[in-house]
Amino acid sequence: MKIAVDWDRCEANAACVRAAPEAFRLDDDDRLHLLVTDVPPELRPKVEKAVRDCPRGALSLLSPTER
Ligand code: SF4
């Protein structure tokens, strides 16, 4: 699975970083960075929580066929 970000929706409030710090990082300029491209299975629950927690609905998970 891959993480997709709707950058127009993201307001850098870091909810995803709190849910899955292994996958998301905010830099000093409040820009969001993805730390993983393919989400490893062990990280998937945290990333799914980040998708749910994003108050802007900016995150989604894509299966390989949706790339
Ligand atoms: S939780 Fe959503 S709005 Fe907040 S930084 Fe992450 S992707 Fe952006």
Side-chain angles (χ1 to χ4, degrees):
M1 303 291 278
K2 284 188 176 278
I3 302 167
V5 183
D6 183 339
W7 298 105
D8 290 335
R9 285 177 175 256
C10 177
E11 61 180 15
N13 54 37
C16 56
V17 179
R18 286 190 292 275
E22 299 89 344
F24 303 94
R25 186 176 73 84
L26 278 181
D27 67 18
D28 292 340
D29 295 321
D30 277 348
R31 279 188 306 235
L32 182 67
H33 296 270
L34 298 181
L35 303 181
V36 294
T37 46
D38 285 307
V39 180
E42 66 273 18
L43 199 53
R44 191 160 163 180
K46 284 187 169 185
V47 171
E48 287 176 344
K49 178 169 171 35
V51 171
R52 286 195 306 272
D53 285 359
C54 176
R56 301 280 297 156
L59 297 175
S60 51
L61 276 172
L62 301 179
S63 67
T65 55
E66 293 174 297
R67 283 176 194 173

